[in-house]
């Protein structure tokens, strides 16, 4: 780990500026969770994420250097962010990810998590843990080899399973995420639920979300209620819902699987949104703040950072952007969302 972390922001020690009141948006929602996309580049081409235009192949290398990234995160943590998730693109495409984790981890008392496709996880899980990572969500949309390849464009299921095993062996809190698309992988719901049951792991099924160029169609949408019915009927069991304790599980509803440590969860972004409980803000690899996944114009933080803006000025920009954070995503009002950014750019 380089000795220069944590970085002073333009020579001001960030810890001195840490605020007690925390960060609130214009509606009084406490903002404590930052998702940072560390790169737009990805080694898989998932059907639900890949832009039809082929733009993913031309994804820009990350604009933010690791020092800039850590500096930007420090501004957020001083304002009240308590948990950071690194995402992408594919975060493991960055060779300096361990150094980034090491720079951020002390800022949030170790609450740094990663969302990854798991393809390169097996050989990096221990190093990431040693750098201060505490948890990993692995995207796994299929439990069968052929289905995995159809969805991701790569014959990589065994590599991802090895990555999951390595993450668990390294002591990282490990969960699986599966996006469900009707006509693509609804036949994988049961195999994934069985995997959760036999492996004693948590699998969370995510409703497919629309954005520019990902081929969104109502026909492919499968609501969380139907996903849960598929699990109940397929396993021949009722599911006991876990009580919600704080925001630890984020927006997921979690259900125990009988006779196992395993759990299934659903994230119902569209059928029963959770905007009123939203505690998150996003930073892209271009150094832009996104107050809402589907709305709010991005606010550039990178240029001010490079122009030696003071900590107060950066904090002002963030606070201003959050006063305008949408009360709910536009689809709830029947409006088209801001589709300017793909999920691979914003980080999901
Ligand atoms: N490459 C990493 C991965 O595969 O997890 C991180 C980036 S990916 C954009 C982050 C999350 O967004 C993943 O859990 C992915 O499944 C989810 N995601 C991407 N496109 C989505 C869509 N159209 N609807 C719902 N979830 C989506």
């Amino acid at each position: 780990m380089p000795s220069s972390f944590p970085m002073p922001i333009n020579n001001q020690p960030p810890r001195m500026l840490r605020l007690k009141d925390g960060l609130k948006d214009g509606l009084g929602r406490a903002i404590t969770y930052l998702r940072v996309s560390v790169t737009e580049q990805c080694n898989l081409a998932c059907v639900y994420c890949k832009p039809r235009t082929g733009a993913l192949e031309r994804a820009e290398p990350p604009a933010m250097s690791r020092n800039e990234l850590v500096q930007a995160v420090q501004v957020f943590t001083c304002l009240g962010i308590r948990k950071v998730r690194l995402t992408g693109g594919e975060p493991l495409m960055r060779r300096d990810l361990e150094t980034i984790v090491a720079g951020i981890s002390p800022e949030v008392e170790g609450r740094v998590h990663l969302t990854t496709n798991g393809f390169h996880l097996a050989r990096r899980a221990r190093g990431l843990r040693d750098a201060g990572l505490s948890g990993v969500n692995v995207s796994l949309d299929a439990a069968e080899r052929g289905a995995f390849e159809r969805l991701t464009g790569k014959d990589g299921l065994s590599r991802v399973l090895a990555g999951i095993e390595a993450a668990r062996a390294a002591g990282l809190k490990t969960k699986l995420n599966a996006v469900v698309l009707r006509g693509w992988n609804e036949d994988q719901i049961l195999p994934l639920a069985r995997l959760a049951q036999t492996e004693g792991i948590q699998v969370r099924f995510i409703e497919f979300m629309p954005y520019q160029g990902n081929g969104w169609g109502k026909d492919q949408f499968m609501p969380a209620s139907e996903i849960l019915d598929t699990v109940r009927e397929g396993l021949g069991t009722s599911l006991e819902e876990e009580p919600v304790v704080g925001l630890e599980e984020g927006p997921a509803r979690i259900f125990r699987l009988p006779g196992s440590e395993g759990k299934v969860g659903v994230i119902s972004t569209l059928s029963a949104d959770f905007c009123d409980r939203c505690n998150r803000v996003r930073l892209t690899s271009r150094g832009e703040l996104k107050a809402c996944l589907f709305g709010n114009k991005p606010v550039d933080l990178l240029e001010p950072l490079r122009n030696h803006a003071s900590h107060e000025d950066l904090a002002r920009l963030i606070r201003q952007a959050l006063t305008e954070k949408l009360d709910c995503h536009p689809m709830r009002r029947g409006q088209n969302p801001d589709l300017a950014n793909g999920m691979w750019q914003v980080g999901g």
Side-chain angles (χ1 to χ4, degrees):
M1 187 192 319
S3 56
S4 51
F5 285 122
M7 296 287 300
I9 295 158
N10 303 327
N11 297 323
Q12 300 172 54
R15 285 182 193 286
M16 285 175 61
L17 297 164
R18 200 172 282 272
L19 300 180
K20 282 201 198 105
D21 294 346
L23 194 55
K24 292 227 162 81
D25 72 5
L27 297 168
R29 291 172 293 195
I31 306 298
T32 55
Y33 175 32
L34 175 67
R35 293 178 70 99
V36 184
S37 171
V38 296
T39 180
E40 293 183 356
Q41 294 175 324
C42 191
N43 52 329
L44 298 186
C46 302
V47 288
Y48 54 81
C49 189
K50 177 184 69 170
R52 289 212 164 150
T53 55
L56 190 52
E57 288 76 23
R58 300 193 302 273
E60 293 289 327
M64 272 197 297
S65 70
R66 70 164 185 267
N67 284 355
E68 287 166 344
L69 203 148
V70 174
Q71 285 180 351
V73 170
Q74 282 175 341
V75 180
F76 281 95
T77 55
C78 289
L79 287 172
I81 289 296
R82 298 284 167 259
K83 174 178 166 182
V84 173
R85 177 171 298 281
L86 303 176
T87 171
E90 173 47 44
L92 293 175
M93 299 287 280
R94 274 192 85 141
R95 291 181 182 193
D96 57 358
L97 191 66
E98 289 76 359
T99 318
I100 291 171
V101 170
I104 294 172
S105 183
E107 297 295 313
V108 283
E109 294 168 9
R111 285 187 286 269
V112 187
H113 296 249
L114 178 71
T115 295
T116 172
N117 61 38
F119 197 77
H120 292 299
L121 189 56
R123 60 186 167 82
R124 295 184 67 182
R126 274 176 177 274
L128 285 163
R129 180 212 53 199
D130 292 347
L133 191 76
S134 60
V136 58
N137 287 357
V138 181
S139 296
L140 181 70
D141 309 311
E144 290 165 358
R145 187 175 166 185
F148 181 95
E149 187 171 357
R150 244 184 320 123
L151 283 155
T152 64
K154 236 179 208 157
D155 180 12
L157 178 63
S158 56
R159 280 189 70 142
V160 176
L161 293 176
I164 294 165
E165 208 178 303
R168 299 179 88 190
L172 293 167
K173 199 172 169 196
T174 308
K175 295 176 195 167
L176 309 182
N177 283 338
V179 178
V180 180
L181 279 87
R182 201 189 293 284
W184 281 92
N185 67 340
E186 76 264 45
D187 62 339
Q188 294 300 304
I189 296 171
L190 260 189
L192 284 166
R194 288 205 181 97
L195 183 79
Q197 205 167 26
T198 52
E199 292 296 321
I201 199 166
Q202 186 182 124
V203 176
R204 299 169 335 154
F205 296 102
I206 304 174
E207 286 179 352
F208 176 49
M209 290 180 264
Y211 67 88
Q212 186 180 35
N214 75 347
W216 160 254
K218 272 190 186 144
D219 293 351
Q220 287 141 355
F221 178 73
M222 190 160 176
S225 56
E226 206 177 323
I227 295 169
L228 284 173
D229 285 345
T230 307
V231 176
R232 279 191 201 99
E233 282 163 27
L235 296 183
T237 177
S238 57
L239 296 171
E240 189 193 334
E241 184 163 359
E242 290 206 324
V244 179
V245 185
L247 290 167
E248 174 59 21
E249 291 297 345
R253 288 173 65 201
I254 306 294
F255 301 81
R256 294 195 188 108
L257 287 168
S260 162
E261 291 288 296
K263 292 171 189 175
V264 293
V266 283
I267 301 183
S268 55
T269 320
L270 295 194
S271 68
D273 71 71
F274 26 79
C275 301
D276 53 338
R277 288 185 286 130
C278 186
N279 66 340
R280 54 186 68 186
V281 63
R282 293 171 168 85
L283 182 65
T284 71
S285 62
R286 299 172 190 223
E288 297 164 331
L289 179 157
K290 282 271 292 175
C292 170
L293 177 60
F294 286 115
N296 291 121
K297 292 260 172 296
V299 173
D300 182 30
L301 298 182
L302 186 54
E303 201 186 315
L305 199 67
R306 285 185 178 164
N307 287 335
H308 309 289
S310 68
H311 184 102
E312 282 79 5
D313 285 343
L314 288 164
R316 207 170 297 125
L317 277 174
I318 294 170
R319 285 187 184 285
Q320 177 58 35
L322 287 177
T323 60
E324 290 159 22
K325 184 171 159 73
L326 297 177
D327 56 343
C328 64
H329 64 63
M331 284 94 80
R332 201 196 214 178
R333 296 202 188 92
Q335 296 163 350
N336 284 333
D338 172 2
L339 299 173
N341 298 102
M343 212 67 87
W344 50 283
Q345 292 172 305
V346 190

